[in-house]
Amino acid sequence: GAVVSQHPSRVICKSGTSVKIECRSLDFQATTMFWYRQFPKKSLMLMATSNEGSKATYEQGVEKDKFLINHASLTLSTLTVTSAHPEDSSFYICSAPWRDRRDSPLHFGNGTRLTVT
Amino acid sequence: AQSVAQPEDQVNVAEGNPLTVKCTYSVSGNPYLFWYVQYPNRGLQFLLKYITGDNLVKGSYGFEAEFNKSQTSFHLKKPSALVSDSALYFCAVRDPTSGTYKYIFGTGTRLKVLA
């Protein structure tokens, strides 16, 4: 079945540094990928839609200069948290629809636990 | 606006008993509906979906869900719960008529199956 690989699974960084999270579709091509942030109370917040070969679409309230998204190929999207601060500590999850069809379910990476000290 | 509601923050059920996790939605037109499960520190896993056809859909791990158009609901069910079913469950909807592939997720329901 469709597999989405996300790395790293955990990262601890110092305040002010940048962190890059990679999301790869291993056995399918993903023209679209979604990046979510999950808060401790469990709700998922869609941050942005990553589009291969074009600019990402950010949700309202998400700073695009802080959360840089690049979708350089059909199998790789990256999220870079720039100048990270403790409030950016969270669980970040990427996902992609297996097929470019509206009835296709999402396949998720295993998430990245970011801790900013 | 599209929305999904999971009215229960947590559901507790004894092992072997039937379980139901509730979901209602608000979408204009005919929605695509999905259930996902999340285990601790992991991404979400797809369980099942309703697109069209039979109102009762069967999915992974013995789960099923019933689509009820008049009540705009898509409750997740399982006849006999296992302790290993304890996890976080998300209902999601897509509006197939929208120009976007965005999914709208509910707030999640934590299922606890007690031995």
Side-chain angles (χ1 to χ4, degrees), chain A residues 10 34 36 38 42-44 46 49 59 91 93 97 100-106 108-111 113, chain B residues 9 32 34 36 38 41-44 46 49 51 88 90 94 96 98 100-103 105 107-108 110:
Chain A
R10 290 180 177 273
F34 299 98
Y36 293 87
Q38 188 169 29
K42 73 184 183 297
S43 65
L44 284 172
L46 177 64
T49 303
E59 295 300 303
F91 193 59
I93 314 175
D100 204 14
R101 285 169 37 171
R102 297 183 188 279
D103 64 348
S104 178
L106 289 176
F108 287 81
N110 279 330
R113 174 76 58 192
Chain B
D9 195 52
Y32 292 167
F34 303 81
Y36 293 85
Q38 184 181 30
N41 295 311
R42 302 295 291 268
L44 281 67
F46 168 67
K49 67 179 179 181
I51 304 301
L88 188 53
F90 288 95
R94 287 184 70 191
S98 78
T100 173
Y101 283 91
K102 273 199 280 190
Y103 291 71
F105 282 87
T107 51
R110 198 168 297 283

Short mmCIF file of all heavy atoms in Angstrom, two decimals, chain A residues 10 34 36 38 42-44 46 49 59 91 93 97 100-106 108-111 113, chain B residues 9 32 34 36 38 41-44 46 49 51 88 90 94 96 98 100-103 105 107-108 110:
data_model
loop_
_atom_site.label_atom_id
_atom_site.label_comp_id
_atom_site.label_asym_id
_atom_site.label_seq_id
_atom_site.Cartn_x
_atom_site.Cartn_y
_atom_site.Cartn_z
N ARG A 10 11.83 12.72 15.63
CA ARG A 10 11.95 13.63 16.78
C ARG A 10 13.12 14.56 16.54
O ARG A 10 14.15 14.15 15.99
CB ARG A 10 12.25 12.85 18.07
CG ARG A 10 11.13 12.04 18.60
CD ARG A 10 11.55 11.31 19.87
NE ARG A 10 10.45 10.56 20.42
CZ ARG A 10 9.54 11.06 21.25
NH1 ARG A 10 9.64 12.31 21.64
NH2 ARG A 10 8.55 10.32 21.70
N PHE A 34 -0.10 17.63 2.20
CA PHE A 34 -0.65 18.51 3.22
C PHE A 34 0.23 18.46 4.46
O PHE A 34 0.70 17.39 4.86
CB PHE A 34 -2.07 18.06 3.60
CG PHE A 34 -3.04 18.09 2.46
CD1 PHE A 34 -3.33 16.92 1.76
CD2 PHE A 34 -3.67 19.26 2.08
CE1 PHE A 34 -4.23 16.93 0.70
CE2 PHE A 34 -4.57 19.28 1.03
CZ PHE A 34 -4.85 18.12 0.34
N TYR A 36 0.22 19.26 8.53
CA TYR A 36 -0.65 19.50 9.68
C TYR A 36 0.20 19.71 10.92
O TYR A 36 1.31 19.20 11.04
CB TYR A 36 -1.57 18.31 9.94
CG TYR A 36 -2.61 18.07 8.88
CD1 TYR A 36 -2.33 17.29 7.78
CD2 TYR A 36 -3.88 18.61 9.01
CE1 TYR A 36 -3.29 17.06 6.80
CE2 TYR A 36 -4.85 18.39 8.05
CZ TYR A 36 -4.54 17.61 6.94
OH TYR A 36 -5.50 17.38 5.97
N GLN A 38 -0.37 19.19 15.06
CA GLN A 38 -1.28 18.62 16.03
C GLN A 38 -0.95 19.15 17.41
O GLN A 38 0.17 19.06 17.89
CB GLN A 38 -1.22 17.10 16.03
CG GLN A 38 -2.28 16.46 16.89
CD GLN A 38 -2.38 14.97 16.68
OE1 GLN A 38 -1.40 14.31 16.33
NE2 GLN A 38 -3.55 14.42 16.87
N LYS A 42 -5.06 17.32 20.95
CA LYS A 42 -5.26 16.36 19.87
C LYS A 42 -5.75 16.89 18.55
O LYS A 42 -5.69 16.20 17.55
CB LYS A 42 -6.15 15.18 20.31
CG LYS A 42 -7.63 15.52 20.46
CD LYS A 42 -8.37 14.29 20.98
CE LYS A 42 -9.87 14.51 21.09
NZ LYS A 42 -10.31 15.50 21.98
N SER A 43 -6.29 18.10 18.49
CA SER A 43 -6.86 18.53 17.22
C SER A 43 -5.78 18.77 16.17
O SER A 43 -4.65 19.15 16.47
CB SER A 43 -7.66 19.82 17.43
OG SER A 43 -6.82 20.87 17.81
N LEU A 44 -6.15 18.50 14.93
CA LEU A 44 -5.26 18.68 13.79
C LEU A 44 -5.54 20.02 13.14
O LEU A 44 -6.68 20.34 12.85
CB LEU A 44 -5.53 17.60 12.74
CG LEU A 44 -5.02 16.20 12.97
CD1 LEU A 44 -5.58 15.30 11.91
CD2 LEU A 44 -3.51 16.18 12.95
N LEU A 46 -4.64 22.15 9.78
CA LEU A 46 -4.00 22.20 8.46
C LEU A 46 -3.21 23.49 8.38
O LEU A 46 -3.75 24.58 8.56
CB LEU A 46 -5.05 22.13 7.36
CG LEU A 46 -4.52 22.24 5.93
CD1 LEU A 46 -3.61 21.06 5.60
CD2 LEU A 46 -5.66 22.33 4.93
N THR A 49 -0.99 23.58 2.09
CA THR A 49 -1.05 22.59 1.03
C THR A 49 0.17 22.80 0.14
O THR A 49 0.38 23.90 -0.39
CB THR A 49 -2.34 22.74 0.21
OG1 THR A 49 -3.46 22.63 1.09
CG2 THR A 49 -2.43 21.68 -0.87
N GLU A 59 -2.75 28.23 5.06
CA GLU A 59 -4.01 28.53 5.71
C GLU A 59 -3.91 29.87 6.43
O GLU A 59 -2.82 30.34 6.78
CB GLU A 59 -4.38 27.42 6.69
CG GLU A 59 -4.64 26.08 6.01
CD GLU A 59 -5.77 26.15 5.02
OE1 GLU A 59 -6.89 26.53 5.41
OE2 GLU A 59 -5.52 25.82 3.83
N PHE A 91 3.72 18.65 17.30
CA PHE A 91 3.79 17.43 16.49
C PHE A 91 3.35 17.81 15.08
O PHE A 91 2.22 18.26 14.89
CB PHE A 91 2.89 16.35 17.10
CG PHE A 91 3.10 14.97 16.56
CD1 PHE A 91 4.33 14.35 16.65
CD2 PHE A 91 2.04 14.27 15.99
CE1 PHE A 91 4.52 13.06 16.18
CE2 PHE A 91 2.23 12.98 15.51
CZ PHE A 91 3.47 12.37 15.60
N ILE A 93 2.74 16.71 11.10
CA ILE A 93 2.44 15.53 10.31
C ILE A 93 2.20 15.92 8.87
O ILE A 93 1.48 16.89 8.59
CB ILE A 93 1.16 14.80 10.81
CG1 ILE A 93 1.15 14.65 12.34
CG2 ILE A 93 1.03 13.43 10.15
CD1 ILE A 93 -0.14 14.06 12.88
N PRO A 97 -2.59 12.43 -0.72
CA PRO A 97 -3.57 11.51 -1.28
C PRO A 97 -2.85 10.52 -2.18
O PRO A 97 -1.99 10.90 -2.97
CB PRO A 97 -4.51 12.42 -2.07
CG PRO A 97 -3.72 13.64 -2.36
CD PRO A 97 -2.69 13.77 -1.29
N ASP A 100 -4.44 10.97 -7.41
CA ASP A 100 -4.88 12.33 -7.67
C ASP A 100 -6.38 12.33 -7.96
O ASP A 100 -6.82 12.77 -9.01
CB ASP A 100 -4.10 12.90 -8.84
CG ASP A 100 -4.06 14.42 -8.81
OD1 ASP A 100 -4.41 14.99 -7.75
OD2 ASP A 100 -3.71 15.02 -9.83
N ARG A 101 -7.13 11.79 -7.01
CA ARG A 101 -8.59 11.67 -7.17
C ARG A 101 -9.26 12.17 -5.91
O ARG A 101 -8.73 12.01 -4.81
CB ARG A 101 -8.98 10.22 -7.40
CG ARG A 101 -8.68 9.70 -8.77
CD ARG A 101 -8.83 8.21 -8.87
NE ARG A 101 -9.93 7.66 -8.09
CZ ARG A 101 -10.32 6.40 -8.20
NH1 ARG A 101 -9.71 5.61 -9.05
NH2 ARG A 101 -11.29 5.93 -7.46
N ARG A 102 -10.43 12.71 -6.09
CA ARG A 102 -11.10 13.32 -4.95
C ARG A 102 -11.59 12.30 -3.93
O ARG A 102 -11.87 12.66 -2.80
CB ARG A 102 -12.26 14.18 -5.44
CG ARG A 102 -11.78 15.34 -6.29
CD ARG A 102 -12.92 16.23 -6.73
NE ARG A 102 -12.45 17.21 -7.70
CZ ARG A 102 -11.83 18.33 -7.39
NH1 ARG A 102 -11.61 18.62 -6.13
NH2 ARG A 102 -11.42 19.15 -8.32
N ASP A 103 -11.73 11.05 -4.33
CA ASP A 103 -12.18 10.05 -3.35
C ASP A 103 -11.03 9.31 -2.70
O ASP A 103 -11.22 8.36 -1.95
CB ASP A 103 -13.13 9.05 -4.01
CG ASP A 103 -12.47 8.23 -5.09
OD1 ASP A 103 -11.34 8.58 -5.51
OD2 ASP A 103 -13.07 7.23 -5.53
N SER A 104 -9.82 9.75 -2.98
CA SER A 104 -8.66 9.07 -2.43
C SER A 104 -8.44 9.46 -0.98
O SER A 104 -8.45 10.63 -0.63
CB SER A 104 -7.43 9.43 -3.25
OG SER A 104 -6.28 8.80 -2.71
N PRO A 105 -8.23 8.46 -0.10
CA PRO A 105 -7.90 8.80 1.28
C PRO A 105 -6.49 9.38 1.37
O PRO A 105 -5.68 9.24 0.45
CB PRO A 105 -7.98 7.46 2.01
CG PRO A 105 -7.71 6.45 0.96
CD PRO A 105 -8.25 7.01 -0.32
N LEU A 106 -6.22 10.02 2.49
CA LEU A 106 -4.88 10.52 2.75
C LEU A 106 -4.03 9.43 3.37
O LEU A 106 -4.51 8.60 4.14
CB LEU A 106 -4.94 11.71 3.71
CG LEU A 106 -5.51 13.01 3.17
CD1 LEU A 106 -5.57 14.05 4.28
CD2 LEU A 106 -4.70 13.52 2.00
N PHE A 108 -0.60 9.17 5.69
CA PHE A 108 0.13 10.06 6.58
C PHE A 108 1.52 9.54 6.90
O PHE A 108 1.74 8.33 7.01
CB PHE A 108 -0.64 10.21 7.90
CG PHE A 108 -1.87 11.06 7.79
CD1 PHE A 108 -3.04 10.53 7.31
CD2 PHE A 108 -1.85 12.38 8.19
CE1 PHE A 108 -4.20 11.31 7.21
CE2 PHE A 108 -2.99 13.17 8.11
CZ PHE A 108 -4.15 12.64 7.61
N GLY A 109 2.43 10.49 7.08
CA GLY A 109 3.69 10.15 7.67
C GLY A 109 3.50 9.89 9.16
O GLY A 109 2.41 10.13 9.71
N ASN A 110 4.54 9.42 9.82
CA ASN A 110 4.44 9.11 11.25
C ASN A 110 4.65 10.32 12.15
O ASN A 110 4.63 10.17 13.37
CB ASN A 110 5.41 8.00 11.62
CG ASN A 110 4.87 6.63 11.28
OD1 ASN A 110 3.66 6.42 11.29
ND2 ASN A 110 5.76 5.70 10.97
N GLY A 111 4.84 11.46 11.55
CA GLY A 111 4.92 12.67 12.34
C GLY A 111 6.32 12.99 12.84
O GLY A 111 7.19 12.12 12.91
N ARG A 113 8.05 15.06 16.10
CA ARG A 113 7.89 15.77 17.37
C ARG A 113 9.00 16.80 17.48
O ARG A 113 10.16 16.44 17.60
CB ARG A 113 7.97 14.77 18.53
CG ARG A 113 7.97 15.40 19.91
CD ARG A 113 6.60 15.86 20.34
NE ARG A 113 5.63 14.79 20.34
CZ ARG A 113 4.32 15.00 20.45
NH1 ARG A 113 3.85 16.23 20.57
NH2 ARG A 113 3.48 13.99 20.44
N ASP B 9 -15.54 13.73 23.41
CA ASP B 9 -14.09 13.87 23.56
C ASP B 9 -13.46 12.50 23.82
O ASP B 9 -12.35 12.23 23.36
CB ASP B 9 -13.82 14.83 24.71
CG ASP B 9 -12.40 15.32 24.70
OD1 ASP B 9 -11.94 15.80 23.67
OD2 ASP B 9 -11.75 15.21 25.76
N TYR B 32 -17.72 13.28 0.64
CA TYR B 32 -16.89 12.09 0.79
C TYR B 32 -16.49 12.05 2.27
O TYR B 32 -15.99 13.03 2.80
CB TYR B 32 -15.63 12.18 -0.08
CG TYR B 32 -15.87 12.11 -1.56
CD1 TYR B 32 -14.87 12.43 -2.46
CD2 TYR B 32 -17.09 11.69 -2.09
CE1 TYR B 32 -15.06 12.37 -3.83
CE2 TYR B 32 -17.30 11.62 -3.46
CZ TYR B 32 -16.29 11.96 -4.32
OH TYR B 32 -16.48 11.89 -5.68
N PHE B 34 -14.62 10.01 5.67
CA PHE B 34 -13.50 9.14 6.00
C PHE B 34 -13.38 8.98 7.52
O PHE B 34 -13.74 9.89 8.27
CB PHE B 34 -12.18 9.72 5.48
CG PHE B 34 -12.15 10.00 4.00
CD1 PHE B 34 -12.71 11.16 3.49
CD2 PHE B 34 -11.55 9.11 3.13
CE1 PHE B 34 -12.67 11.43 2.12
CE2 PHE B 34 -11.52 9.36 1.77
CZ PHE B 34 -12.08 10.53 1.27
N TYR B 36 -10.25 7.87 10.30
CA TYR B 36 -8.84 7.57 10.50
C TYR B 36 -8.61 7.24 11.97
O TYR B 36 -9.34 7.71 12.85
CB TYR B 36 -7.97 8.79 10.14
CG TYR B 36 -7.98 9.15 8.67
CD1 TYR B 36 -8.98 9.96 8.14
CD2 TYR B 36 -6.98 8.69 7.82
CE1 TYR B 36 -8.98 10.29 6.79
CE2 TYR B 36 -6.98 9.02 6.48
CZ TYR B 36 -7.98 9.82 5.97
OH TYR B 36 -7.99 10.15 4.64
N GLN B 38 -5.45 7.08 15.00
CA GLN B 38 -4.09 7.50 15.33
C GLN B 38 -3.65 6.83 16.63
O GLN B 38 -4.31 6.98 17.67
CB GLN B 38 -4.01 9.02 15.47
CG GLN B 38 -2.58 9.52 15.71
CD GLN B 38 -2.51 11.02 15.89
OE1 GLN B 38 -3.44 11.64 16.37
NE2 GLN B 38 -1.37 11.61 15.51
N ASN B 41 1.97 8.97 19.17
CA ASN B 41 3.18 9.42 18.47
C ASN B 41 3.30 8.86 17.06
O ASN B 41 4.41 8.61 16.58
CB ASN B 41 4.42 9.07 19.28
CG ASN B 41 4.46 9.84 20.58
OD1 ASN B 41 4.28 11.05 20.60
ND2 ASN B 41 4.66 9.14 21.68
N ARG B 42 2.20 8.67 16.42
CA ARG B 42 2.20 8.19 15.05
C ARG B 42 1.30 9.08 14.20
O ARG B 42 0.49 9.86 14.71
CB ARG B 42 1.66 6.74 14.99
CG ARG B 42 2.42 5.75 15.81
CD ARG B 42 3.85 5.57 15.31
NE ARG B 42 3.90 4.92 14.02
CZ ARG B 42 4.02 3.62 13.86
NH1 ARG B 42 4.06 2.82 14.91
NH2 ARG B 42 4.10 3.10 12.64
N GLY B 43 1.43 8.93 12.88
CA GLY B 43 0.50 9.61 11.98
C GLY B 43 -0.83 8.89 11.98
O GLY B 43 -1.04 7.91 12.69
N LEU B 44 -1.74 9.40 11.19
CA LEU B 44 -3.07 8.81 11.11
C LEU B 44 -3.08 7.67 10.09
O LEU B 44 -2.36 7.71 9.09
CB LEU B 44 -4.09 9.86 10.68
CG LEU B 44 -4.59 10.84 11.74
CD1 LEU B 44 -3.51 11.77 12.23
CD2 LEU B 44 -5.78 11.62 11.21
N PHE B 46 -5.67 5.34 7.66
CA PHE B 46 -6.98 5.28 7.03
C PHE B 46 -7.71 4.01 7.46
O PHE B 46 -7.14 2.92 7.43
CB PHE B 46 -6.81 5.32 5.52
CG PHE B 46 -8.03 4.98 4.73
CD1 PHE B 46 -9.13 5.82 4.74
CD2 PHE B 46 -8.08 3.82 3.98
CE1 PHE B 46 -10.26 5.50 4.00
CE2 PHE B 46 -9.19 3.50 3.24
CZ PHE B 46 -10.30 4.34 3.24
N LYS B 49 -13.94 4.56 4.15
CA LYS B 49 -14.50 5.75 3.52
C LYS B 49 -15.88 5.45 2.95
O LYS B 49 -16.20 4.30 2.63
CB LYS B 49 -13.58 6.27 2.41
CG LYS B 49 -13.49 5.33 1.21
CD LYS B 49 -12.59 5.91 0.13
CE LYS B 49 -12.49 4.95 -1.06
NZ LYS B 49 -11.59 5.50 -2.13
N ILE B 51 -18.14 6.92 -0.20
CA ILE B 51 -18.20 7.80 -1.36
C ILE B 51 -19.61 7.80 -1.94
O ILE B 51 -20.23 8.84 -2.12
CB ILE B 51 -17.19 7.36 -2.45
CG1 ILE B 51 -15.77 7.30 -1.85
CG2 ILE B 51 -17.24 8.29 -3.65
CD1 ILE B 51 -15.27 8.61 -1.27
N LEU B 88 -6.90 7.20 19.13
CA LEU B 88 -7.59 8.45 18.81
C LEU B 88 -8.20 8.30 17.42
O LEU B 88 -7.52 7.86 16.49
CB LEU B 88 -6.56 9.59 18.83
CG LEU B 88 -7.02 11.02 18.72
CD1 LEU B 88 -8.07 11.35 19.76
CD2 LEU B 88 -5.80 11.94 18.90
N PHE B 90 -10.39 9.96 14.18
CA PHE B 90 -10.77 11.19 13.51
C PHE B 90 -11.73 10.90 12.36
O PHE B 90 -11.48 10.00 11.54
CB PHE B 90 -9.53 11.89 12.92
CG PHE B 90 -8.63 12.52 13.93
CD1 PHE B 90 -7.53 11.84 14.42
CD2 PHE B 90 -8.88 13.80 14.40
CE1 PHE B 90 -6.69 12.41 15.35
CE2 PHE B 90 -8.03 14.39 15.33
CZ PHE B 90 -6.94 13.70 15.82
N ARG B 94 -14.63 15.51 2.82
CA ARG B 94 -14.20 16.31 1.69
C ARG B 94 -15.42 16.66 0.88
O ARG B 94 -16.30 15.83 0.68
CB ARG B 94 -13.22 15.54 0.79
CG ARG B 94 -11.86 15.39 1.37
CD ARG B 94 -10.94 14.71 0.41
NE ARG B 94 -10.64 15.59 -0.71
CZ ARG B 94 -10.02 15.19 -1.81
NH1 ARG B 94 -9.68 13.94 -1.95
NH2 ARG B 94 -9.75 16.03 -2.77
N PRO B 96 -16.59 17.08 -2.58
CA PRO B 96 -16.08 16.75 -3.91
C PRO B 96 -16.34 17.83 -4.95
O PRO B 96 -15.74 17.80 -6.02
CB PRO B 96 -16.83 15.46 -4.26
CG PRO B 96 -18.07 15.51 -3.45
CD PRO B 96 -17.71 16.21 -2.18
N SER B 98 -15.81 21.02 -4.36
CA SER B 98 -14.92 22.17 -4.16
C SER B 98 -13.71 22.03 -5.06
O SER B 98 -13.37 20.94 -5.52
CB SER B 98 -14.49 22.26 -2.70
OG SER B 98 -13.46 21.32 -2.44
N THR B 100 -10.77 22.29 -4.25
CA THR B 100 -9.58 21.97 -3.48
C THR B 100 -9.65 20.52 -3.00
O THR B 100 -10.72 19.95 -2.88
CB THR B 100 -9.45 22.90 -2.27
OG1 THR B 100 -8.37 22.44 -1.45
CG2 THR B 100 -10.70 22.89 -1.43
N TYR B 101 -8.51 19.96 -2.73
CA TYR B 101 -8.46 18.61 -2.20
C TYR B 101 -8.48 18.60 -0.67
O TYR B 101 -8.25 17.59 -0.06
CB TYR B 101 -7.19 17.89 -2.67
CG TYR B 101 -7.28 17.41 -4.10
CD1 TYR B 101 -6.87 18.22 -5.15
CD2 TYR B 101 -7.76 16.15 -4.38
CE1 TYR B 101 -6.95 17.76 -6.44
CE2 TYR B 101 -7.84 15.69 -5.68
CZ TYR B 101 -7.43 16.49 -6.70
OH TYR B 101 -7.51 16.04 -8.00
N LYS B 102 -8.75 19.73 -0.08
CA LYS B 102 -8.64 19.81 1.38
C LYS B 102 -9.64 18.91 2.08
O LYS B 102 -10.79 18.78 1.69
CB LYS B 102 -8.89 21.25 1.83
CG LYS B 102 -7.63 22.10 1.83
CD LYS B 102 -7.79 23.33 2.68
CE LYS B 102 -8.54 24.40 1.97
NZ LYS B 102 -8.50 25.68 2.71
N TYR B 103 -9.14 18.33 3.16
CA TYR B 103 -9.97 17.53 4.04
C TYR B 103 -10.28 18.36 5.28
O TYR B 103 -9.44 19.09 5.77
CB TYR B 103 -9.22 16.28 4.51
CG TYR B 103 -8.97 15.25 3.45
CD1 TYR B 103 -8.05 15.48 2.44
CD2 TYR B 103 -9.64 14.03 3.47
CE1 TYR B 103 -7.81 14.52 1.47
CE2 TYR B 103 -9.40 13.07 2.51
CZ TYR B 103 -8.49 13.32 1.51
OH TYR B 103 -8.26 12.38 0.55
N PHE B 105 -11.14 17.88 9.16
CA PHE B 105 -11.12 16.87 10.21
C PHE B 105 -11.93 17.30 11.41
O PHE B 105 -12.00 18.49 11.75
CB PHE B 105 -9.67 16.63 10.67
CG PHE B 105 -8.89 15.75 9.73
CD1 PHE B 105 -8.22 16.28 8.65
CD2 PHE B 105 -8.84 14.38 9.93
CE1 PHE B 105 -7.51 15.47 7.77
CE2 PHE B 105 -8.12 13.56 9.07
CZ PHE B 105 -7.47 14.11 7.99
N THR B 107 -12.47 17.00 15.63
CA THR B 107 -11.52 17.25 16.71
C THR B 107 -10.98 15.99 17.34
O THR B 107 -10.13 16.04 18.21
CB THR B 107 -12.17 18.12 17.80
OG1 THR B 107 -13.42 17.52 18.16
CG2 THR B 107 -12.42 19.53 17.29
N GLY B 108 -11.49 14.85 16.90
CA GLY B 108 -10.97 13.58 17.40
C GLY B 108 -11.71 13.09 18.62
O GLY B 108 -12.18 13.87 19.46
N ARG B 110 -11.16 10.16 21.67
CA ARG B 110 -10.26 9.16 22.24
C ARG B 110 -11.08 7.97 22.69
O ARG B 110 -12.01 8.11 23.49
CB ARG B 110 -9.51 9.76 23.44
CG ARG B 110 -8.27 8.98 23.81
CD ARG B 110 -7.40 9.74 24.80
NE ARG B 110 -6.87 11.00 24.29
CZ ARG B 110 -5.85 11.11 23.44
NH1 ARG B 110 -5.25 10.03 23.01
NH2 ARG B 110 -5.42 12.29 23.05
#
